[in-house]
């Protein structure tokens, strides 16, 4: 009697739970469900009992299945994310927690599933906001740099134009005045030098940063950037492949700056592949140790690539082939990598597309750095 009462109490409790409770036998057949499971899936209780995988819409790979089964067998809680299909065919994401136990010599599995539609939506919104912020930051930073460069350079350029016209006039007149033409040309040289200094100053501004240098695991830094870029990659149907070498030496530097470089290269690659059909856009990010036991990072795409004759111009400020491009991205990346003692270079990807690579020195004192240095030739230039 007491047992029946406690069972009834348990049933009421389980029926009022906001999660879906299910009891399965060892083969996954449903033995019992609570009210929430019926309501969430749109089935009657008797339609669910005795069936296997009626509402499962699994996307789990073999390895995850095996790991979860092993956990269950070991008496641990297995947690997985999956999708359930309602009777009306609609699908929703769930988080499932399962535990195996023995009842009268029979193995049974109790599962508790929670609808995580809202959580997923919030995470997606958060990712989009992050991407938006990254884009906005990038645009704002570019906008600021452009405004200051434009302002600072307009004066010497105007002066050069005036002096060039004056020199032409002095030389082109019936009685050319070589001396005055020379003076005008000397002014042009001085203004050009000033323009060069302004660009140098802006470069140093970009390099200067109040942040602290830190030890960076390049692979982790890349993974963080990928998290930020993931929704953009998904939206633009870009397939990402990573090939991150384990056991790389740590590098010393400014994490955010290096992440900006990686993000910029990824965004450039995504933009370059916009002209390809969906399903053919492939981005590959790899890391490796180089000859000097530093780290090389490569970002490859299979877009149209670039004209080999233009390879050096890519890193010049304001060089762009995009209708709405600013042409500062690669130039800033170049300065950042140089300030870290490394080199950024571009080449053709095989069989098509572009590859942008940079190398970074190993951190001084990193125990992993001396392992394979030997007499290897240094790549730092
Ligand atoms: P922006 O992209 O704003 O034009 P960047 O400095 O980022 O400026 O790039 C300069 C130019 O380099 C681009 O306009 C483009 O012509 C070329 N470029 C950059 N990345 C790639 C790439 N992955 N594939 C082909 N060309 C590229």
């Amino acid at each position: 009697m007491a047992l029946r009462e406690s069972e009834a109490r348990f049933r009421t409790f389980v029926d009022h739970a906001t999660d879906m409770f299910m009891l399965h036998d060892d083969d996954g057949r449903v033995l019992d469900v609570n009210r929430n499971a019926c309501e969430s899936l749109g089935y009657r209780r008797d339609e669910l009992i005795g069936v296997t995988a009626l509402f499962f819409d699994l996307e789990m790979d073999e390895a995850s299945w095996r790991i979860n089964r092993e956990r269950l067998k070991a008496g641990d809680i297995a947690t997985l994310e999956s999708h359930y299909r309602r009777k009306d065919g609609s699908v929703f994401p769930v988080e499932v927690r399962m535990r195996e136990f023995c009842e009268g010599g029979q193995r049974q599995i109790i599962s508790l599933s929670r609808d995580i539609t809202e959580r997923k939506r919030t995470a997606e919104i958060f990712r989009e906001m992050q991407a938006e912020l990254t884009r906005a930051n990038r645009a704002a930073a570019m906008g600021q740099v452009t405004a200051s460069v434009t302002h600072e350079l307009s004066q010497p350029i105007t002066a050069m134009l005036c002096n060039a016209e004056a020199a032409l006039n002095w030389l082109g007149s019936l009685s050319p005045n070589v001396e005055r033409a020379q003076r005008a040309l000397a002014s042009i040289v001085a203004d050009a030098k000033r323009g060069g200094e302004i660009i140098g100053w802006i470069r140093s501004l970009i390099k200067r940063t109040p942040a602290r240098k830190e030890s960076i695991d390049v692979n982790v830094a890349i993974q963080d950037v990928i998290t930020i870029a993931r929704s953009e990659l998904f939206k633009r149907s870009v397939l990402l492949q990573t090939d991150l070498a384990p056991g790389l030496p740590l590098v010393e530097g400014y994490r955010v700056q290096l992440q900006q470089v990686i993000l910029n290269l990824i965004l450039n690659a995504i933009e370059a592949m916009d002209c390809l059909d969906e399903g053919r856009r492939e981005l590959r990010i790899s890391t490796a140790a180089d000859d000097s036991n530093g780290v090389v990072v490569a970002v490859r795409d299979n877009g149209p690539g670039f004209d080999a004759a233009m390879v050096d111009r890519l890193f010049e400020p304001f060089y762009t082939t995009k209708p709405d491009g600013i042409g500062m991205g690669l130039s800033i990346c170049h300065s950042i990598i140089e300030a870290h003692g490394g080199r950024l270079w571009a080449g053709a990807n095989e069989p098509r597309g572009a590859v942008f690579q940079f190398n970074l020195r190993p951190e001084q004192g990193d125990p992993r750095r001396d392992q394979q240095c030997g007499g290897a030739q240094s790549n730092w230039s």
Side-chain angles (χ1 to χ4, degrees):
M1 183 63 188
L3 182 66
R4 220 175 303 139
E5 258 179 28
S6 103
E7 267 184 10
R9 241 197 339 263
F10 183 68
R11 170 102 240 149
T12 316
F13 163 72
V14 162
D15 266 344
H16 284 89
T18 49
D19 291 317
M20 294 166 257
F21 275 93
M22 294 173 206
L23 196 63
H24 311 259
D25 66 13
D26 205 21
D27 298 324
R29 233 188 321 269
V30 176
L31 298 174
D32 202 357
V33 291
N34 71 343
R35 190 158 56 197
N36 187 287
C38 299
E39 284 168 3
S40 301
L41 295 166
Y43 287 102
R44 289 192 318 271
R45 192 159 164 259
D46 62 291
E47 286 178 310
L48 288 173
I49 289 177
V51 298
T52 326
L54 177 65
F55 48 86
F56 263 82
D57 195 52
L58 284 179
E59 303 166 332
M60 221 189 325
D61 54 84
E62 251 326 288
S64 315
W65 255 129
R66 222 183 22 252
I67 292 167
N68 279 309
R69 281 216 72 87
E70 276 162 19
R71 276 203 194 125
L72 287 176
K73 292 273 172 248
D76 291 336
I77 294 175
T79 307
L80 56 101
E81 281 193 12
S82 180
H83 286 89
Y84 283 171
R85 189 181 291 280
R86 297 189 186 90
K87 195 175 180 180
D88 66 9
S90 57
V91 171
F92 62 104
V94 283
E95 183 189 75
V96 189
R97 290 169 149 261
M98 295 186 285
R99 175 151 216 177
E100 201 173 88
F101 65 102
C102 237
E103 171 88 11
Q106 295 283 315
R107 285 188 173 281
Q108 296 189 350
I109 297 164
I110 185 152
S111 75
L112 187 155
S113 312
R114 180 167 293 180
D115 184 341
I116 52 170
T117 308
E118 212 42 51
R119 194 205 294 174
K120 288 261 175 205
R121 199 174 295 146
T122 313
E124 179 59 21
I125 290 170
F126 180 68
R127 265 197 302 275
E128 278 189 4
M129 273 167 61
Q130 267 182 322
E132 202 52 57
L133 199 66
T134 311
R135 270 196 298 275
N137 272 346
R138 189 178 176 216
M142 299 300 169
Q144 277 166 13
V145 174
T146 316
S148 97
V149 173
T150 314
H151 177 74
E152 293 293 331
L153 283 182
S154 61
Q155 211 195 330
I157 288 174
T158 313
M160 282 194 282
L161 196 63
C162 289
N163 280 314
E165 276 169 358
L168 283 174
N169 284 340
W170 291 124
L171 293 173
S173 69
L174 284 176
S175 49
N177 189 330
V178 175
E179 196 194 324
R180 298 200 82 149
Q182 271 176 334
R183 256 191 275 152
L185 289 171
S187 294
I188 294 177
V189 171
D191 281 325
K193 274 191 183 152
R194 191 160 155 239
E197 277 165 15
I198 290 166
I199 290 174
W201 169 73
I202 288 165
R203 279 224 169 108
S204 69
L205 263 193
I206 294 163
K207 275 188 215 165
R208 205 186 305 144
T209 155
R212 223 169 23 91
K213 272 195 173 177
E214 52 187 312
S215 298
I216 300 166
D217 180 332
V218 175
N219 288 346
V220 174
I222 290 175
Q223 297 285 13
D224 288 347
V225 176
I226 289 173
T227 307
I228 292 173
R230 203 174 286 286
S231 67
E232 195 65 18
L233 290 166
F234 179 75
K235 231 184 268 164
R236 311 271 278 260
S237 306
V238 174
L239 201 73
L240 170 69
Q241 195 195 339
T242 51
D243 188 3
L244 308 179
L248 289 177
L250 297 174
V251 301
E252 191 180 27
Y254 299 106
R255 179 187 306 274
V256 174
Q257 286 190 357
L258 292 179
Q259 288 181 327
Q260 267 172 0
V261 172
I262 298 159
L263 185 62
N264 242 304
L265 298 182
I266 293 177
L267 294 177
N268 269 349
I270 295 177
E271 276 167 13
M273 291 189 288
D274 255 346
C275 60
L276 299 182
D277 290 338
E278 285 184 12
R280 295 191 46 233
R281 302 170 188 170
E282 285 168 21
L283 174 70
R284 185 161 165 248
I285 304 175
S286 59
T287 55
D290 72 1
D291 290 346
S292 322
N293 203 27
V295 178
V296 191
V297 178
V299 177
R300 294 163 206 277
D301 63 67
N302 60 348
F306 50 80
D307 181 354
M310 289 296 172
V311 68
D312 287 329
R313 294 212 55 203
L314 299 182
F315 302 100
E316 284 175 10
F318 302 123
Y319 175 79
T320 181
T321 53
K322 301 170 193 168
D324 54 353
I326 298 168
M328 284 298 288
L330 286 177
S331 143
I332 292 176
C333 291
H334 199 262
S335 312
I336 291 175
I337 297 299
E338 242 177 18
H340 280 78
R343 199 162 70 84
L344 169 66
W345 69 100
N349 186 33
E350 284 301 328
R352 53 173 282 141
V355 49
F356 284 81
Q357 301 187 70
F358 62 88
N359 57 7
L360 295 164
R361 291 170 191 274
E363 183 185 35
Q364 299 296 314
D366 180 358
R368 287 176 281 185
R369 73 181 277 269
D370 297 325
Q371 279 166 13
Q372 41 179 291
C373 278
Q377 200 198 333
S378 171
N379 264 346
W380 317 114
S381 53

